[in-house]
Amino acid sequence: NSGSNTKNFSTSNDFQLGIKSIKAVYYNTFIKAEISLDLALGSTSLFFEEGIGIFVEPIRVSSVNLEIEPSILLRFEASTDLNIFGGVSYSSIWTDDTFHAGDWRVKEQLNFGNTHSFMGIQYDMRRLDLILEAKLLNSKAMNSYSVRILKKIDLPIKMFK
């Protein structure tokens, strides 16, 4: 029973700031196939209403995290600045977590990876060379969301042929 209540949690935020590198591998007038690589530093807050493992009281987790996420996706250009996209990715995440349970404070550092399917929207802020992105992610472990402000950079020229 120690792990049975770890899936009952809510996410109050998952905000990240990072860079995104994109390479179109196929495109036509409306749809592009792309590979991308995101590097993001973020802040996440989770709330376990029924506790975690042997701890039965509510637990709040505050996390600072670093994420590296390569993706394969299809993108539909709804307008010049707005895109709808979906695909698969693998997130490698390193965290520095603080668990708050009553008067207890426990610090822990973790690293883990998850494969996700996702769908989302992106707004391209061309004058600032930034992307505002919101996406829903689905994996075996959980469903979640992500809101990111990303800086666009070019991939090295010879990286993909």
Side-chain angles (χ1 to χ4, degrees), residues 69-131:
E69 181 181 9
S71 303
I72 299 171
L73 61 131
L74 290 177
R75 177 183 310 281
F76 171 71
E77 295 186 2
S79 70
T80 306
D81 298 328
L82 186 65
N83 296 296
I84 301 166
F85 62 91
V88 294
S89 67
Y90 183 81
S91 296
S92 295
I93 302 171
W94 293 266
T95 69
D96 185 16
D97 302 327
T98 303
F99 293 80
H100 307 270
D103 292 334
W104 288 57
R105 301 288 180 269
V106 177
K107 301 277 290 171
E108 183 176 47
Q109 293 179 336
L110 299 171
N111 64 343
F112 56 92
N114 285 318
T115 301
H116 301 280
S117 59
F118 59 85
M119 59 185 287
I121 58 172
Q122 282 184 338
Y123 179 71
D124 195 343
M125 298 180 281
R126 293 181 195 280
R127 289 192 300 156
L128 301 173
D129 204 24
L130 296 173
I131 298 170

Side-chain angles (χ1 to χ4, degrees), residues 14-153:
D14 182 15
F15 297 102
Q16 298 178 335
L17 186 60
I19 56 174
K20 178 182 224 47
S21 192
I22 302 170
K23 178 72 175 175
V25 291
Y26 172 81
Y27 64 94
N28 64 28
T29 307
F30 299 106
I31 296 178
K32 289 183 183 178
E34 297 176 344
I35 53 175
S36 70
L37 179 65
D38 295 0
L39 175 62
L41 181 63
S43 170
T44 304
S45 295
L46 304 173
F47 181 67
F48 295 85
E49 188 172 348
E50 298 173 7
I52 301 173
I54 62 171
F55 300 99
V56 294
E57 65 182 79
I59 295 178
R60 189 169 33 94
V61 179
S62 302
S63 176
V64 175
N65 50 71
L66 174 66
E67 179 176 12
I68 298 174
E69 181 181 9
S71 303
I72 299 171
L73 61 131
L74 290 177
R75 177 183 310 281
F76 171 71
E77 295 186 2
S79 70
T80 306
D81 298 328
L82 186 65
N83 296 296
I84 301 166
F85 62 91
V88 294
S89 67
Y90 183 81
S91 296
S92 295
I93 302 171
W94 293 266
T95 69
D96 185 16
D97 302 327
T98 303
F99 293 80
H100 307 270
D103 292 334
W104 288 57
R105 301 288 180 269
V106 177
K107 301 277 290 171
E108 183 176 47
Q109 293 179 336
L110 299 171
N111 64 343
F112 56 92
N114 285 318
T115 301
H116 301 280
S117 59
F118 59 85
M119 59 185 287
I121 58 172
Q122 282 184 338
Y123 179 71
D124 195 343
M125 298 180 281
R126 293 181 195 280
R127 289 192 300 156
L128 301 173
D129 204 24
L130 296 173
I131 298 170
L132 175 61
E133 175 184 272
K135 68 179 169 181
L136 299 171
L137 299 108
N138 181 3
S139 70
K140 285 183 180 180
M142 70 177 134
N143 296 322
S144 62
Y145 70 93
S146 176
V147 177
R148 296 177 174 172
I149 297 174
L150 299 161
K151 172 74 174 153
K152 295 187 288 184
I153 63 169

